[in-house]
Amino acid sequence: MLAVTFISPALLLLLGMSVFPLLWALYLSFTDYSATRGGPARFIGFANYTAILTSAQVHQRALTTLIYVVGAVTLQTVLGFGIAYLISRRAHGRGVLTTLFLVPMMLSPVVVGLFWRFMLDAQFGVINSMLGSLGLGQVEWLTRQRTALISLIVVDTWQWTPFIMLIALAGLTAVPKYLYEAASIDRASEWFRFRTITLPLVWPLLLIAVLFRSIEAFRLFDLVYILTNGGPGVSTETLSFHVYKVAFLGFNTGTASAYGILMVLVVIVLTQLYLRYLNKLKEG
Amino acid sequence: MRHQQRIRRMSVPSRRVQLATAAMLLMATTVAACGDGEEGGGAASAPKAPATIPELTTDPLTLSFIWFEWPPAQALEAFANAEYKKERPNTTVKVNTVPNANWHDAMFTQFAARKTDFDIAILDSQHIGEAVTNGNILDITDFVKSNIDVNAYNPYLLAAYGQFPQAETGKRDENASLYGLPLLGDTWTMIYRKDLIGDKPPQTWDEMISVAERCQADNPGVSGLAFHQANGSDAAAVTYNTVNGVYGGNLWDSKTRKIDGVLNDAAGQEAMDVLVNKMKPLTARGSGNWFIDEVNAAVAQGKACIAFNWIAASGGLLDPEQSTLGTTREQILDKLGFATLPSQKTNLVPLGGMGMHVSAYSPEANQAEALNFMKWFQRADVQKKWAAAGGVPSRTDALESPEFLNAGPFNQVYTDSVPRMRDMWNVPEYARLVDIENTNVNAALNGAKTPTDALNDIAKEQQSVLDSSSRKGGGGL
C-alpha cells in the first residue's frame, strides 16, 4: 500500500499528461470535432485517416520530411562520429573540447533559429558577407526552394551533431584498449584497426543515437517555424508543421488528431523495425 | 519461503488495485473531458451584451487586452492608463502582446478553452467571422445603439471593425449585428525617397513601377521597391490583394461564395503578372521573406526608392536613432515622402487596423468595464487625444482634426484613403484562406511556382475550403 501511495502522484501525472491526451486524441481522430466551433463530436469512422493518407498535400510534406530526416541525420552521424573519433585520440584537453562542442545542443532551438535567421539573411547576414569577402556570389539561403531546405539541414546539423558525437565518444571510450594493443603487435594498419575493431564495437551505440535523432528530426517544428515558416511557398513545410496548421488555422481538431496519431504510428513501426535490426546485430 | 509466499499473495491484489485505480482515474478524466466538450458545444452564436452598461465595480480591476507586439500596443497601454484612469482610478489597463505570427493562435486557443486571460480581444477585421460563429465575443448591437453615435463615423469603418456578416467593401448594412468598435484604423502608405525620385509621388501603378525602375538603375545599391513578401501572417496575401484591387480584380463573389474563376480571371492574372514579373525584379535580393520590420529597415537604411507599409507601423521611420537618412526628424522628412497608393484601373487600398471585441468568457465585472472603456474611447475628445498620442482614430471629426493631421506626416494619407478601402473575406474560414494565399503568393515571388500556377492553385484551394463544409473527414487539409 505504501508503494502505491508513493507511486500514485507520478502515476496520476503520467495518466493526466500523457496517457489520457493520447487516448483522447485517438477518440477525436474518429470524429469531426473542432475545438473552437464546439458542438458534439460526430463519429465519422476512418474518414479523417483516409483523407490524410490520400492527400497530395500530406504526401508532399512527407517527402520534404523524409529528405530532411535523411539529409540531417546522415550529415550529423558522419560529422558527429568523425569529431568523436578525433577527440578520442587526444590525450589532453578532451574534456574541454567535448564541453565546447556540446554548447549548441544546450541552446533553445528558438534562439538557434533566430540567430541563424540573422546570419543567413541575404542582405545583412554574416554568411553572405563572408562569401562576398571571398569573392563569391550572394546566396538567398532562406527564400529559394533548394537552399531553404539545405539551410534547415545545416542549422539542425550545427545544433545536433554534438548529440551524436557524445554518444559515439562514449562508445569509443568503452572499446577495450587491449584490442588495439594486440592489433599493434600484429602491425595492423590504422584503417584495419578502425574497420575491424572500432567501427563494429561502436556501431550498435551509434545506431541508437541515429534512432533518437531520426525520431527528433521527424518531429521537427521549431526551426522551420522560426527560419522559413515553411517557405518559400510550402517547400520546407514538414509533417509536424502541417499538423500545426491543420490544428490551429482552421481548428480542425479531429483531422489534426488523426494526423498526429498517424505520425506516432509511423515512428513506432520504424522504431520496432530498427530495434529488431539492432537486436539481430547484437546476436550476430 | 513462507515470507516469499506472503509477499506474492499480497502483491497480486495490489497490482489489481493499481490497475483498477488507473482505469477509474482514466475513466473519470475522460468523462470529465467529455462533459466539457458537450458543455462547450451548442453555443454557436455570440451572446448579447446589455444595451446599458451595468453598474461598475469600485474595487481595483485590471482590464486586459490582447494584441500583437508593435508600437501601437505600447501607445495604447500608455494612453489608456494616462487618460482612462482619470475617469476610472480603480482600473488599470494592461495590453498583453504576442508575436504577430502567434496573434490568431493566442486568441483562438483561449477561445477554444472557453476561458480567456483577456477581457478585450483586438481582432483583425477578418477574424470577426470566426469569433462570432464560435460565440467567442459579445454581440454589442444593442449597446452600440444606446451608447455610440454611429453617424460620427465613415459607415465602412464601423462595418469593417465590427459588423458580421461584413460587406467586403462599400456601405455598412444598418440591419447587421455589430460585434466590435474601431480601435486603430490603418492602411498602406507609399513611402518614397524625395531626394531620389522628386517631390511628386507617382500617380498610377504603372508610373510607380517605371519610376522605381529608373531610380534603381540610377542608384546602385538601392532597390527600386520594398514591400511585404513573407509567407507568415497576411504579408504576401495583402500585397497581392492590393495589386489585384488596383488592377480591377476581385477576391471572390461573396454572394455565391465563388472564388475559382473570380480571383483568377484576366484581371487577377494581370495583377499576379505585374507583381511577380514587374515589381519583384525591383526588390532587394533575398527579400522574399520581408514583412513590416524588414521593409522599415530597408527604408531607414536608405536601401529602397519606394516602399509600401502599414501607416501604424511607420512611426519609427522618423526616429533619427533608427535611420541613416538624417540626424533629425526634419532631415529625414526632407528625404522621405508619404503618399496614398497610386491608382490604376481602380483606386482601392487595403483596409488594415483592428477593432475592440469583448471576450464572452471574461468575468461580468470586467465585461462591464470593457463596455465602459469602449464607450469612453469612442468619445470625440478621447478620439482626438488618441490621435495626438500616435493612434489612428476612426471618427470622422477626429480624422479631420488638426490633432490627428499634424501628429504624423502619414496621417493625411490615412484620412484620404478611408473612402478607397477594401478588406479581405470576413468569413470563419479566413485563417485558412489567408494561409493558402500567403504561401502561394510567396511561392510565386520566390520562384517556387509560376505566377499562373500560383494564382490558379489559390483559387482552387480556397474554393475547396469554402466548399468543404459538407465533406466528411479531413477538414483542414
Side-chain angles (χ1 to χ4, degrees):
Chain A
M1 204 55 206
L2 192 68
V4 174
T5 314
F6 272 109
I7 62 160
S8 54
L11 196 68
L12 277 173
L13 204 68
L14 189 72
L15 281 172
M17 306 291 286
S18 195
V19 179
F20 167 69
L22 188 69
L23 293 178
W24 187 240
L26 186 65
Y27 159 66
L28 290 178
S29 71
F30 294 106
T31 70
D32 63 352
Y33 183 68
S34 164
T36 50
R37 283 192 291 276
R42 277 187 306 156
F43 184 75
I44 53 168
F46 284 92
N48 283 330
Y49 289 93
T50 315
I52 292 164
L53 292 171
T54 54
S55 161
Q57 289 182 46
V58 177
H59 297 163
Q60 190 188 350
R61 271 70 170 187
L63 184 64
T64 306
T65 308
L66 182 71
I67 295 170
Y68 170 78
V69 171
V70 172
V73 176
T74 306
L75 202 59
Q76 286 160 29
T77 308
V78 172
L79 284 175
F81 184 76
I83 294 169
Y85 188 68
L86 291 175
I87 289 179
S88 72
R89 291 166 64 94
R90 280 185 68 94
H92 301 291
R94 187 193 288 194
V96 176
L97 269 178
T98 309
T99 311
L100 280 177
F101 273 113
L102 289 181
V103 170
M105 201 175 85
M106 296 171 188
L107 297 172
S108 149
V110 175
V111 174
V112 171
L114 279 174
F115 75 66
W116 272 98
R117 191 184 157 119
F118 287 123
M119 283 166 58
L120 292 170
D121 188 281
Q123 287 290 313
F124 316 109
V126 69
I127 305 285
N128 269 0
S129 172
M130 280 163 61
L131 289 178
S133 60
L134 292 171
L136 299 168
Q138 306 276 292
V139 181
E140 292 183 44
W141 295 105
L142 301 174
T143 52
R144 289 283 145 189
Q145 214 167 355
R146 282 185 193 165
T147 50
L149 193 57
I150 292 171
S151 300
L152 278 176
I153 290 173
V154 168
V155 176
D156 193 68
T157 301
W158 180 85
Q159 185 171 26
W160 290 109
T161 295
F163 176 77
I164 303 259
M165 182 207 80
L166 193 67
I167 292 183
L169 196 59
L172 286 166
T173 317
V175 178
K177 283 217 168 53
Y178 65 82
L179 292 177
Y180 291 119
E181 286 164 8
S184 299
I185 292 166
D186 291 340
R187 294 191 169 185
S189 68
E190 189 78 15
W191 170 241
F192 186 83
R193 276 189 275 177
F194 175 77
R195 196 165 49 85
T196 55
I197 301 172
T198 312
L199 202 56
L201 288 175
V202 178
W203 189 239
L205 210 58
L206 203 60
L207 284 182
I208 291 174
V210 168
L211 173 70
F212 285 151
R213 276 307 307 140
S214 301
I215 293 172
E216 279 292 311
F218 183 74
R219 298 184 308 156
L220 177 81
F221 173 80
D222 31 33
L223 278 183
V224 177
Y225 188 67
I226 301 290
L227 274 175
T228 62
N229 201 36
V234 293
S235 54
T236 56
E237 268 191 19
T238 55
L239 288 168
S240 294
F241 194 82
H242 195 213
V243 175
Y244 155 75
K245 280 189 165 182
V246 173
F248 293 106
L249 287 188
F251 281 93
N252 292 282
T253 318
T255 312
S257 301
Y259 209 151
I261 294 289
L262 279 173
M263 283 183 68
V264 171
L265 283 178
V266 168
V267 171
I268 290 173
V269 169
L270 290 179
T271 307
Q272 281 305 314
L273 291 174
Y274 200 83
L275 287 176
R276 276 187 191 179
Y277 169 71
L278 212 64
N279 284 336
K280 248 185 202 171
L281 208 70
K282 239 182 180 177
E283 285 161 13
Chain B
M1 191 67 187
R2 203 181 298 154
H3 178 68
Q4 275 181 346
Q5 276 176 348
R6 202 168 65 198
I7 290 176
R8 208 176 298 139
R9 270 201 305 271
M10 278 184 69
S11 69
V12 174
S14 18
R15 214 176 296 139
R16 278 186 191 152
V17 168
Q18 283 175 21
L19 281 170
T21 315
M24 278 166 64
L25 280 168
L26 198 62
M27 275 176 67
T29 332
T30 310
V31 167
C34 285
D36 274 348
E38 279 160 15
E39 196 182 306
S45 61
K48 271 186 178 288
T52 50
I53 299 168
E55 194 180 342
L56 299 172
T57 179
T58 50
D59 296 335
L61 184 145
T62 300
L63 187 65
S64 299
F65 287 66
I66 186 165
W67 208 352
F68 64 88
E69 183 57 40
W70 69 330
Q74 288 101 47
L76 174 66
E77 187 173 289
F79 172 71
N81 280 319
E83 296 295 330
Y84 188 61
K85 241 182 167 13
K86 287 178 189 167
E87 313 231 341
R88 299 279 301 144
N90 63 320
T91 303
T92 305
V93 173
K94 178 91 189 107
V95 180
N96 299 310
T97 56
V98 293
N100 184 291
N102 303 107
W103 181 32
H104 170 269
D105 302 352
M107 293 184 293
F108 282 85
T109 44
Q110 291 195 52
F111 284 148
R114 311 285 189 265
K115 195 174 180 184
T116 58
D117 66 5
F118 53 84
D119 309 304
I120 295 184
I122 300 175
L123 297 180
D124 219 347
S125 55
Q126 309 88 2
H127 294 148
I128 298 171
E130 188 177 354
V132 170
T133 314
N134 298 331
N136 304 140
I137 52 177
L138 297 188
D139 178 341
I140 59 169
T141 313
D142 297 338
F143 167 78
V144 171
K145 272 181 194 159
S146 307
N147 297 281
I148 307 291
D149 175 13
V150 291
N151 298 319
Y153 301 81
N154 176 309
Y156 182 51
L157 291 182
L158 276 185
Y161 300 125
Q163 177 184 303
F164 182 76
Q166 184 221 43
E168 185 187 321
T169 183
K171 288 180 182 173
R172 175 180 162 231
D173 178 357
E174 300 287 338
N175 299 316
S177 295
L178 283 170
Y179 301 89
L181 284 167
L183 170 71
L184 182 92
D186 206 358
T187 188
W188 270 19
T189 176
M190 179 170 66
I191 306 154
Y192 62 101
R193 286 284 298 274
K194 290 193 276 190
D195 56 327
L196 300 182
I197 69 170
D199 284 338
K200 194 168 172 279
Q203 296 301 303
T204 67
W205 206 264
D206 285 349
E207 186 194 347
M208 180 271 293
I209 291 170
S210 62
V211 166
E213 205 169 7
R214 211 165 40 245
C215 178
Q216 179 171 284
D218 294 346
N219 299 280
V222 181
S223 62
L225 293 173
F227 53 82
H228 305 167
Q229 301 178 47
N231 61 347
S233 189
D234 57 2
V238 169
T239 301
Y240 173 70
N241 289 348
T242 303
V243 185
N244 173 287
V246 167
Y247 279 84
N250 285 297
L251 304 185
W252 69 325
D253 181 338
S254 55
K255 280 180 190 152
T256 57
R257 286 172 68 88
K258 197 165 180 279
I259 293 179
D260 199 5
V262 177
L263 179 76
N264 51 344
D265 64 5
Q269 296 286 2
E270 185 186 5
M272 188 60 103
D273 178 63
V274 168
L275 177 63
V276 177
N277 296 323
K278 293 183 181 169
M279 292 173 65
K280 174 67 182 175
L282 300 174
T283 61
R285 200 179 160 86
S287 60
N289 55 0
W290 282 15
F291 194 25
I292 296 172
D293 292 343
E294 290 83 358
V295 169
N296 272 346
V299 174
Q301 292 175 21
K303 297 283 186 188
C305 298
I306 296 174
F308 298 98
N309 216 338
W310 294 110
I311 286 177
S314 298
L317 291 176
L318 307 177
D319 180 1
E321 286 187 8
Q322 297 179 41
S323 181
T324 59
L325 296 177
T327 51
T328 63
R329 184 182 158 103
E330 289 68 34
Q331 278 182 6
I332 295 171
L333 281 171
D334 282 343
K335 291 184 178 169
L336 286 188
F338 297 87
T340 49
L341 299 197
S343 53
Q344 189 69 30
K345 292 176 182 169
T346 76
N347 67 352
L348 292 173
V349 298
L351 175 123
M354 304 92 198
M356 293 179 279
H357 310 266
V358 185
S359 165
Y361 315 108
S362 176
E364 277 181 20
N366 294 47
Q367 285 184 345
E369 195 67 54
L371 292 172
N372 191 57
F373 179 88
M374 284 161 76
K375 183 181 176 183
W376 168 82
F377 192 80
Q378 304 301 333
R379 267 176 22 197
D381 59 323
V382 177
Q383 286 273 292
K384 283 179 189 168
K385 282 181 187 167
W386 172 228
V392 182
S394 290
R395 281 180 67 112
T396 310
D397 48 5
L399 286 176
E400 289 167 355
S401 68
E403 286 92 336
F404 177 63
L405 296 175
N406 297 332
F410 25 71
N411 287 354
Q412 184 68 55
V413 175
Y414 181 75
T415 304
D416 294 343
S417 298
V418 169
R420 296 169 54 181
M421 287 177 176
R422 177 176 84 163
D423 202 2
M424 294 191 238
W425 346 259
N426 183 351
V427 290
E429 298 91 347
Y430 164 76
R432 293 191 55 212
L433 296 182
V434 82
D435 178 60
I436 289 167
E437 188 155 336
N438 247 342
T439 48
N440 279 290
V441 174
N442 177 265
L445 286 167
N446 290 298
K449 275 188 183 181
T450 65
T452 311
D453 285 350
L455 192 62
N456 288 336
D457 287 349
I458 294 170
K460 208 172 85 185
E461 289 174 31
Q462 286 184 337
Q463 190 66 60
S464 110
V465 169
L466 289 186
D467 296 345
S468 67
S469 54
S470 57
R471 196 168 68 191
K472 194 182 168 193
L477 291 175

